Amino acid sequence: MGRIAGMERPQVWDYWRPTGSGIVELGTVRGRDVALPVHFHREDQLTFVLAGRRRFVIAGDLREAGPGEGVHIPAGTPHRSLCGMDEVVCINLYTPPGLHAAPDVIAGLARHWRRTGGLGWPDLTRIAEDHRRPIGTGVEPVSMFAGSEAWDSVGEAARRAGMSREGYSRRFRKHHGVPPHAFALQERLNEARLLLRAGESIAAVAADTGFTDQSHLGRCFRRAFGVTPGRYRAG
């Protein structure tokens, strides 16, 4: 494939899943309307900016990156993306939690970008693999849920924590940045993301992850990830 900076841009978000590497998937982001609501991933996210400025709110703090700079968002960390004044062009690498040394990967991408003026898919995978930690040093994805049965209702989760429903919800939102129901929805969307990557049909994914139908999944999925389930699955 050619250099990312020279690729066509049919829409703001696009995804591609390489084979033969530890990278779960790669994403490209182009445009001004790059805002997304609070969400999180089961993978580490490494964002590297080629043009414009990418802006995130992570754990209540504003993080920005310009051309040749990157941001690491650890797995399970709620964050939101903000729009900027100018068009942004950047790439996202999604990798298993802790499997790659994120600061070293970002530094390697920056060196290559400064030296050559661009990045291709082979460059991304090679640089990431150059900074892959030994097998067994990664960490398992962290879920904030102590079992699905405990999350059937906020009231039940609050009871197990020995708190009132209101107190539990306030503490949860303060700690995680989103209320319990929004967090549970995001867990279902991340499960849908995993099943779509595995090639499951959209209808089956909607049913398996508790959405009313394909349209319900589609609305929630696009709002969280900026792309429809169908386009994501085709990546």
Side-chain angles (χ1 to χ4, degrees), residues 2-24:
R3 289 188 185 279
I4 294 170
M7 292 170 61
E8 296 300 321
R9 44 178 188 172
Q11 64 172 43
V12 173
W13 309 86
D14 219 339
Y15 294 91
W16 178 65
R17 289 177 278 281
T19 57
S21 78
I23 298 173
V24 175

Side-chain angles (χ1 to χ4, degrees), residues 92-172:
N92 290 344
L93 287 79
Y94 300 94
T95 63
L99 186 60
H100 295 78
D104 295 335
V105 173
I106 291 173
L109 294 173
R111 285 193 298 270
H112 184 91
W113 183 79
R114 288 195 299 267
R115 186 172 64 250
T116 67
L119 285 166
W121 296 128
D123 304 319
L124 293 172
T125 54
R126 175 183 56 78
I127 292 168
E129 291 306 291
D130 283 347
H131 300 288
R132 182 172 178 170
R133 292 181 171 130
I135 295 175
T137 58
V139 297
E140 290 297 318
V142 176
S143 172
M144 303 302 175
F145 294 86
S148 59
E149 72 283 354
W151 293 88
D152 288 341
S153 72
V154 177
E156 175 63 12
R159 185 189 66 78
R160 292 188 177 215
M163 302 176 66
S164 70
R165 179 188 177 97
E166 293 75 15
Y168 178 85
S169 295
R170 284 196 300 271
R171 190 173 77 170
F172 190 99

Side-chain angles (χ1 to χ4, degrees), residues 5-225:
M7 292 170 61
E8 296 300 321
R9 44 178 188 172
Q11 64 172 43
V12 173
W13 309 86
D14 219 339
Y15 294 91
W16 178 65
R17 289 177 278 281
T19 57
S21 78
I23 298 173
V24 175
E25 65 184 358
L26 297 164
T28 58
V29 183
R30 297 177 178 83
R32 293 181 180 175
D33 187 14
V34 297
L36 291 175
V38 176
H39 64 287
F40 59 90
H41 305 279
R42 291 180 177 176
E43 305 84 22
D44 284 351
Q45 176 180 327
L46 285 71
T47 292
F48 187 79
V49 180
L50 302 174
R53 294 195 69 80
R54 194 75 197 277
R55 303 167 67 230
F56 297 98
V57 176
I58 306 171
D61 295 326
L62 178 65
R63 294 282 305 279
E64 296 189 53
E69 298 174 339
V71 175
H72 171 220
I73 305 175
T77 303
H79 59 281
R80 60 189 174 99
S81 175
L82 306 177
C83 287
M85 296 295 294
D86 301 314
E87 182 179 68
V88 65
V89 181
C90 71
I91 55 176
N92 290 344
L93 287 79
Y94 300 94
T95 63
L99 186 60
H100 295 78
D104 295 335
V105 173
I106 291 173
L109 294 173
R111 285 193 298 270
H112 184 91
W113 183 79
R114 288 195 299 267
R115 186 172 64 250
T116 67
L119 285 166
W121 296 128
D123 304 319
L124 293 172
T125 54
R126 175 183 56 78
I127 292 168
E129 291 306 291
D130 283 347
H131 300 288
R132 182 172 178 170
R133 292 181 171 130
I135 295 175
T137 58
V139 297
E140 290 297 318
V142 176
S143 172
M144 303 302 175
F145 294 86
S148 59
E149 72 283 354
W151 293 88
D152 288 341
S153 72
V154 177
E156 175 63 12
R159 185 189 66 78
R160 292 188 177 215
M163 302 176 66
S164 70
R165 179 188 177 97
E166 293 75 15
Y168 178 85
S169 295
R170 284 196 300 271
R171 190 173 77 170
F172 190 99
R173 182 163 192 161
K174 181 178 180 180
H175 185 72
H176 300 299
V178 291
H181 283 305
F183 202 102
L185 172 62
Q186 188 62 41
E187 281 278 57
R188 289 160 57 203
L189 288 169
N190 279 324
E191 182 65 18
R193 193 171 168 127
L194 179 65
L195 295 173
L196 289 168
R197 285 202 300 263
E200 295 289 333
S201 72
I202 299 173
V205 170
D208 289 346
T209 51
F211 290 90
T212 306
D213 52 29
Q214 293 185 62
S215 296
H216 184 205
L217 170 62
R219 290 192 301 273
C220 295
F221 196 93
R222 181 159 191 164
R223 186 164 58 245
F225 302 126

